[in-house]
């Protein structure tokens, strides 16, 4: 891909962008990555995800957690794959198609499935993984999740399942989380504690960079 340049408005993030670019290079060669971005509110996590979207060489799907949506089963996964599942037609029988049918169903139906037992949950989670596999057959895929501390537990479980199966899959999973102790504790911990995870912690901007941002906002020195 060549040298990394900061996307517009993204300052002093060369090291983080270089890690993202390397991950996308691996994806282009058929290898996946899990990248976990942690930091306090206002540390630039969202801007870094926007930079990742700008660097992604193939498909980029995004979702963002919200505190009032944390109890919505598979809400984050629905955000990620909503367009994809809407474009698919019913009738297929593979795990990806079956998951797409469930994600197109009502939230109540998905919640019932999730509560029905481990076998039912595994079928949905495995099918979500296969949705990513099928997308990656077309071109490398970037899955970008912001504010994961507010993600629903079912989606985090599905993303952790996927993260453990990225070897040989051209998918880059980027998860931004505010700290490491918030959100659905067990599911979030399982995801961000994956041994394969590449961890990025954006540092506070220097006074010089803060000055550049302020000058750009007020259009003055």
């Amino acid at each position: 891909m060549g040298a990394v340049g900061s996307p517009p408005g993204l300052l002093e993030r060369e090291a983080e962008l270089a890690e993202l670019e390397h991950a996308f290079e691996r994806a282009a060669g058929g290898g996946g990555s899990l990248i976990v971005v942690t930091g306090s509110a206002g540390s630039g996590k969202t801007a870094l995800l926007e930079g990742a979207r700008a660097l992604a060489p193939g498909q980029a799907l995004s979702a963002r957690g919200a505190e009032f949506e944390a109890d919505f089963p598979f809400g984050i996964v629905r955000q990620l794959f909503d367009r994809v599942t809407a474009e698919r037609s019913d009738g297929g029988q593979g795990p990806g198609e079956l998951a797409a049918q469930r994600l197109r169903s009502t939230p109540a139906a998905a919640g019932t499935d999730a509560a029905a037992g481990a076998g039912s949950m595994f079928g949905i989670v495995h099918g979500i993984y296969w949705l990513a596999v099928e997308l990656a057959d077309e071109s490398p895929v970037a899955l970008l999740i912001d504010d994961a501390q507010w993600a629903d537990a079912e989606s985090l479980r599905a993303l952790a399942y996927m993260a453990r199966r990225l070897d040989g899959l051209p998918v880059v999973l980027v998860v931004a989380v505010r700290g490491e102790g918030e959100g659905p504790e067990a599911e979030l911990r399982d995801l961000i504690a994956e041994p394969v995870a590449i961890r990025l912690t954006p540092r506070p901007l220097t006074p010089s960079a803060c000055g550049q941002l302020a000058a750009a906002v007020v259009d003055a020195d």
Side-chain angles (χ1 to χ4, degrees):
M1 286 186 184
V4 178
S6 293
L10 197 56
L11 302 173
E12 299 184 341
R13 295 293 181 252
E14 289 78 12
E16 291 85 354
L17 291 170
E19 286 284 4
L20 288 165
E21 187 178 47
H22 292 156
F24 291 132
E25 288 175 347
R26 287 192 295 272
S33 301
L34 167 63
I35 298 177
V36 177
V37 184
T38 60
S40 59
S43 61
K45 301 184 299 299
T46 297
L48 197 55
L49 261 65
E50 292 171 354
R53 173 178 284 277
L55 289 172
Q59 308 168 77
L61 308 180
S62 60
R64 185 172 188 173
E67 191 170 10
F68 62 90
E69 294 180 0
D71 295 328
F72 180 32
F74 294 105
I76 289 294
V77 169
R78 289 170 188 269
Q79 284 188 57
L80 282 175
F81 295 107
D82 188 48
R83 176 184 58 80
V84 175
T85 58
E87 293 174 352
R88 299 174 70 114
S89 60
D90 291 331
Q93 294 300 315
E97 176 54 36
L98 294 176
Q101 292 174 23
R102 288 302 184 189
L103 293 178
R104 285 194 298 267
S105 67
T106 64
T112 299
D113 281 342
S120 179
M121 171 63 79
F122 176 81
I124 299 173
V125 167
H126 185 63
I128 290 166
Y129 162 73
W130 271 100
L131 276 177
V133 171
E134 292 166 11
L135 277 179
D137 282 342
E138 302 171 10
S139 64
V141 178
L143 301 177
L144 312 173
I145 298 93
D146 200 3
D147 284 331
Q149 74 277 358
W150 289 324
D152 61 280
E154 293 83 4
S155 289
L156 290 171
R157 196 171 301 160
L159 293 172
Y161 180 89
M162 186 186 303
R164 291 189 287 271
R165 291 159 176 81
L166 290 176
D167 187 29
L169 186 65
V171 172
V172 178
L173 176 57
V174 186
V175 179
V177 58
R178 186 184 301 177
E180 295 194 4
E182 302 180 42
E185 183 176 354
E187 290 81 5
L188 186 59
R189 184 177 62 246
D190 286 347
L191 177 59
I192 66 179
E194 281 297 319
V196 298
I198 299 168
R199 303 180 185 283
L200 303 181
T201 306
R203 298 188 177 208
L205 296 178
T206 64
S208 174
C210 291
Q212 292 181 58
L213 287 177
V217 170
V218 301
D219 195 25
D221 291 336

